[in-house]
Amino acid sequence: MIQEDFKMIRMRNTWVEIDLDCIEHNFCEARKILPKNTKIAAVLKANAYGHGAIQIARVLIKNKIDQLAVACLSEALELRRHFAEIPIIVMGYTPDEYLSIGVRNGITLTVFSMEQARKLSDMAGRLNEKAVIHIKLDTGLNRLGLKPGPKAVDTIMNICRLNNINVEGIYSHLALTTLEADQVQFKVFMDMIDEIEARGVHIPIRHISDSNGMVLYPSFDLDMVRLGGFIFGVTTDGLYKDVISLKPAMTFKTQITRIEKIKKGEWVGYDPVFVAPDKCRIGTIAVGYSDGYMRGLSGKGEVSIRGKRAPIIGTICMDQCMVNLTNIPEAQVNDEVLLFGVGQQQNISVNELAKKVQTNRNEILSIVSRRVPRVYMADSQIIDVVDYLLD
Ligand SMILES: *Cc1c(COP(=O)(O)O)cnc(C)c1O
């Protein structure tokens, strides 16, 4: 039996720091640029992009966030366990067998077919409840939603007439590929809404923009925006320059566990991808791909130690990897290593890493694994430590 008290203790030399003041700051920046009547749904799917859904929700609720949004029902239930009142919308498809669990827990569901709406209404009637839904339209992303057209207008009218359904919202999602295509999507969305309004039905919450949509197209704000990356302070480079100052909330750190000198011709790690061209000084660090430090960064990534960059050498292992310290002679065992985020002397942006492995910023953040403790900061103090393995 484990007898330690783990509260507020970080049990590992690899961790992320999450600055809750940054979350609050970014949320306030969004509030500043949005019209008064536009609500904000914070998108907390994938454990709030790795930041910890519960802790992020707590800060946002304190700051009067309007709604929370997640991808699937289990994510909604995790939040509902901690927060009884806040509206929580599931943006993904919920299979029929789970609908009653959603309704009984007051979760707002996304619906995009007559069949599912009818099942939901019947079921809610049996439970003596009203199911709250948002209808999703597929205006061009070709992922989820009802395809617009005269038939879809009829379907929406019929859904609105069901007895035990409250159609609180209607929404779509932009592809954000070109300005022209986004404008076409917005027009298709608004044309559908106009048709519905012309038939005498008003759906209160219309929404289409995510973080980049909100910044690029103020006229698309409507009744609500759904913000993920913006809240976490990680967005497309240059997009918000001069307009908004965002602060990335997450910093990923580890420590040096060993330093050794090797001779010319020796290799480092599995597979002889790095063979020392001369004698060099190598450091082992306590992070690997299963922590969310992608194997694809092998031979490409750089970490920051004492304000200097050290390249990753050899292939990244599951739990560890090696860096070249030849040019940082002052580096010592137990030195802090910045993997990404804001450092004391130097920053490494999530976008920089994303570019190196040809992925996007959201993947880099959301794959930080459950083995990595989350250290929460406010006023530059540690206020909470969450270790999913020990809590
Ligand atoms: C993930 C997601 C968002 C949030 O996207 P960001 O670009 O991170 O703001 C918004 N809407 C839907 C439907 C999503 O799946």
Side-chain angles (χ1 to χ4, degrees):
M1 199 170 115
I2 300 174
Q3 306 216 332
E4 312 299 324
D5 180 8
F6 295 118
K7 275 237 167 320
M8 304 295 285
I9 303 173
R10 173 164 60 72
M11 289 295 292
R12 216 193 143 192
N13 55 357
T14 298
W15 71 101
V16 289
E17 287 169 13
I18 293 148
D19 190 335
L20 297 175
D21 294 342
C22 296
I23 301 287
E24 201 169 290
H25 167 87
N26 298 333
F27 173 76
C28 292
E29 288 293 297
R31 262 276 148 261
K32 254 196 254 167
I33 58 169
L34 284 169
K36 244 199 164 84
N37 296 329
T38 301
K39 295 176 193 294
I40 301 177
V43 178
L44 304 186
K45 61 192 178 188
N47 197 27
Y49 296 30
H51 294 68
I54 301 303
Q55 287 73 19
I56 301 302
R58 188 170 292 133
V59 173
L60 294 171
I61 290 170
K62 204 179 78 196
N63 282 276
K64 304 212 159 34
I65 191 86
D66 298 289
Q67 303 219 352
L68 305 178
V70 291
C72 58
L73 187 58
S74 52
E75 291 182 320
L77 295 173
E78 183 195 18
L79 287 164
R80 181 57 83 222
R81 271 194 188 147
H82 290 79
F83 310 104
E85 303 294 332
I86 190 87
I88 304 171
I89 175 170
V90 173
M91 299 184 295
Y93 166 74
T94 305
D96 292 345
E97 61 262 44
Y98 307 130
L99 293 176
S100 70
I101 300 169
V103 172
R104 279 190 279 134
N105 288 283
I107 306 297
T108 309
L109 297 169
T110 291
V111 171
F112 49 90
S113 79
M114 191 63 217
E115 295 72 42
Q116 188 165 47
R118 199 174 283 126
K119 276 183 197 149
L120 191 58
S121 179
D122 291 348
M123 190 271 304
R126 285 195 297 276
L127 292 172
N128 229 341
E129 300 263 7
K130 258 204 191 284
V132 183
I133 67 164
H134 286 212
I135 295 173
K136 176 131 204 211
L137 296 179
D138 178 3
T139 54
L141 190 62
N142 287 315
R143 187 170 71 178
L144 223 53
L146 201 55
K147 277 278 179 196
K151 221 174 123 230
V153 176
D154 289 340
T155 303
I156 293 167
M157 296 306 296
N158 289 330
I159 292 176
C160 290
R161 283 191 199 103
L162 291 168
N163 278 334
N164 308 305
I165 297 255
N166 168 13
V167 183
E168 179 193 74
I170 183 162
Y171 74 109
S172 190
H173 193 55
L174 297 169
L176 294 169
T177 305
T178 66
L179 170 79
E180 291 73 27
D182 293 340
Q183 282 169 340
V184 169
Q185 277 193 266
F186 185 69
K187 184 171 187 317
V188 169
F189 184 61
M190 292 314 288
D191 286 350
M192 283 290 291
I193 287 169
D194 289 346
E195 290 276 337
I196 298 161
E197 298 259 340
R199 295 227 223 153
V201 168
H202 176 69
I203 302 179
I205 306 181
R206 304 159 300 165
H207 49 114
I208 192 164
S209 281
D210 64 356
S211 299
N212 282 3
M214 172 182 73
V215 174
L216 288 168
Y217 312 118
S219 62
F220 295 6
D221 289 340
L222 302 176
D223 305 302
M224 187 162 86
V225 293
R226 305 181 303 268
L227 304 183
F230 193 99
I231 300 272
F232 307 116
V234 178
T235 48
T236 308
D237 277 341
L239 185 61
Y240 306 157
K241 252 203 324 252
D242 309 328
V243 189
I244 305 148
S245 87
L246 291 183
K247 298 182 178 171
M250 188 194 284
T251 302
F252 196 0
K253 293 177 174 173
T254 187
Q255 286 177 328
I256 300 177
T257 53
R258 195 195 72 157
I259 297 177
E260 276 298 335
K261 294 201 171 91
I262 61 170
K263 294 195 286 284
K264 178 178 174 174
E266 284 195 72
W267 72 73
V268 172
Y270 298 120
D271 313 317
V273 291
F274 178 86
V275 179
D278 209 334
K279 63 179 185 204
C280 41
R281 189 164 176 260
I282 57 153
T284 304
I285 62 175
V287 69
Y289 58 79
S290 78
D291 296 304
Y293 196 68
M294 298 177 108
R295 195 168 179 275
L297 286 165
S298 301
K300 293 183 191 161
E302 281 180 355
V303 302
S304 177
I305 296 166
R306 295 184 184 237
K308 291 184 186 161
R309 294 287 183 117
I312 302 281
I313 50 175
T315 46
I316 292 170
C317 312
M318 190 182 252
D319 319 302
Q320 321 184 56
C321 60
M322 279 66 85
V323 295
N324 195 340
L325 294 177
T326 310
N327 296 323
I328 316 177
E330 66 274 32
Q332 288 175 17
V333 168
N334 291 332
D335 272 3
E336 195 169 283
V337 178
L338 177 72
L339 301 168
F340 67 67
V342 178
Q344 300 273 339
Q345 295 144 290
Q346 198 175 49
N347 303 337
I348 296 180
S349 76
V350 170
N351 284 339
E352 175 187 328
L353 292 193
K355 210 169 182 181
K356 283 183 174 158
V357 285
Q358 284 157 33
T359 181
N360 67 5
R361 52 192 178 270
N362 294 345
E363 185 178 10
I364 301 273
L365 294 172
S366 63
I367 62 169
V368 173
S369 74
R370 66 192 283 274
R371 190 168 81 170
V372 178
R374 269 66 172 174
V375 178
Y376 292 93
M377 319 282 296
D379 284 331
S380 308
Q381 303 283 318
I382 297 176
I383 60 156
D384 198 7
V385 178
V386 174
D387 191 322
Y388 299 113
L389 275 56
L390 303 176
D391 287 344

